[in-house]
Amino acid sequence: MTPIALTIAGSDSGGGAGIQADLKTFSALGVYGASVITAVTAQNTKGVAAVADLSPEIVTAQIDAVLSDLNVAAVKIGMVSRRETIAAIADGLRRFGKQVVVDPVMVATSGDRLLRPDAVAALVDELLPLALVATPNLPEAALLTGRSVAEDETEMARQAEAILKTGARSVLVKGGHRRGSEATDLFFDGNAIVRLPAARIETINDHGTGCTLSAAIAAGLALGRPLVEAVREAKAYLHAALSAANTLSVGAGRGPVHHFHRWW
C-alpha cells in the first residue's frame, strides 16, 4: 500500500508553512500527501497581510472527498482559526477515525495571531481529545493551559501534563523558543517524559518549523512507525532541514527551512 497522510491546514502563499510545508514534508519523507484547506492567507517571509477562511461546508466536503476514497493512515491538523471550522473537522474525523496529530497553530513565526480567541476553547474541547499527539510550542502551551510561558523544563512538563488532561493521548511541548545553545522538546504520554534535545541552529530561515515537525510526525505514523519513533525521526528531519536552511535565499524576511535538503 502507498502510505498516505492528510494535512488539514491553511494555505501559505509564500510556500514556507501551512499546506505547502506539509505537502513538501510528506513528499520528502516518502509519503503521498492529500490536503484539506481551511483558509487562504496572503503572506510572505515578512508577515501575514490577509486571511480568508473557507466555509465549514467546503471544509467538510474536502474531508469527505478525501477520506471516503483515499486510504489515509494519519492526519495532521494545523491552522484552524474559526470555531465553526473546528467543529466541522472534529465531526469529520470522528466519522472516519484516524491517527491525528494536532499542531495548535495560534501565532505565526512573524508574530501574527492566527487563531481567533473564541476558537481556543473549541480547539481544546473538540480537537485535542482526538489527538494521538498534540505539538504546541511554548507560547501555545501557555495559551492552552492559562499559564505563563515556560522558562524551564519543569514548567514544560507541568504544562504537558495539563494539556494531557484535555483528552490528548500524548503531548510534545516544543522548546525552541527558549534561549540557550540547546533546543529541547519534551514528549509526555502520561507515563514517562522523553527528553528530545538538539543543538540550536542559528538561522533566520525558520518559517514553518512547527508545521514541518507535525507533518513529519504524521508521515512517520503513515509509514507505520511507533509514535515515539515517529517523533524522534521528525525531530531529526526538522533539525537537518534547519541546518540546511541557510543555503536557501527566499524572500527578505524569515525564510523557510529546506524541506528537500537531501536532494538539492
Side-chain angles (χ1 to χ4, degrees):
M1 296 291 292
T2 300
I4 302 173
L6 168 65
T7 169
I8 303 176
S11 170
D12 173 2
S13 56
I19 288 285
Q20 288 81 354
D22 295 343
L23 293 177
K24 290 173 186 177
T25 300
F26 293 162
S27 294
L29 295 175
V31 172
Y32 180 87
S35 64
V36 168
I37 298 175
T38 61
V40 175
T41 69
Q43 66 175 295
N44 53 31
T45 63
K46 295 184 286 186
V48 180
V51 177
D53 293 298
L54 273 67
S55 71
E57 292 76 19
I58 192 63
V59 171
T60 295
Q62 291 176 84
I63 291 172
D64 289 349
V66 172
L67 294 183
S68 66
D69 179 37
L70 278 62
N71 185 22
V72 172
V75 178
K76 171 261 169 82
I77 302 174
M79 177 187 169
V80 281
S81 61
R82 298 175 60 199
R83 176 174 49 83
E84 297 84 357
T85 304
I86 289 171
I89 293 168
D91 177 67
L93 293 180
R94 289 191 197 101
R95 284 186 285 112
F96 287 99
K98 301 293 177 182
Q99 298 184 102
V100 178
V101 180
V102 175
D103 182 21
V105 181
M106 297 177 174
V107 183
T109 302
S110 60
D112 295 284
R113 184 74 178 257
L114 298 175
L115 187 65
R116 297 179 182 180
D118 68 335
V120 175
L123 187 149
V124 172
D125 294 339
E126 299 273 1
L127 289 185
L128 290 184
L130 301 176
L132 175 61
V133 58
T135 63
N137 60 30
L138 295 183
E140 290 161 351
L143 284 170
L144 289 172
T145 59
R147 303 170 70 100
S148 298
V149 174
E151 296 183 357
D152 55 41
E153 292 182 25
T154 299
E155 178 59 19
M156 288 172 65
R158 289 196 187 103
Q159 293 186 19
E161 185 175 6
I163 294 169
L164 209 63
K165 292 177 181 177
T166 65
R169 280 176 278 171
S170 64
V171 182
L172 178 69
V173 178
K174 300 173 294 189
H177 283 74
R178 289 179 60 203
R179 295 181 179 180
S181 61
E182 191 174 84
T184 298
D185 303 341
L186 295 185
F187 175 83
F188 183 54
D189 63 0
N191 296 312
I193 293 284
V194 178
R195 189 172 182 270
L196 301 166
R200 186 176 300 279
I201 298 166
E202 296 300 329
T203 178
I204 64 167
N205 291 340
D206 57 1
H207 183 51
T209 51
C211 302
T212 298
L213 180 64
S214 55
I217 294 172
L221 295 172
L223 290 165
R225 308 282 195 265
L227 177 56
V228 175
E229 183 179 339
V231 170
R232 289 187 185 278
E233 290 183 358
K235 171 101 174 174
Y237 168 73
L238 175 60
H239 191 264
L242 275 166
S243 297
N246 283 341
T247 65
L248 296 177
S249 179
V250 178
R254 304 193 79 91
V257 304
H258 196 341
H259 295 93
F260 296 115
H261 59 273
R262 295 175 183 170
W263 295 276
W264 54 274

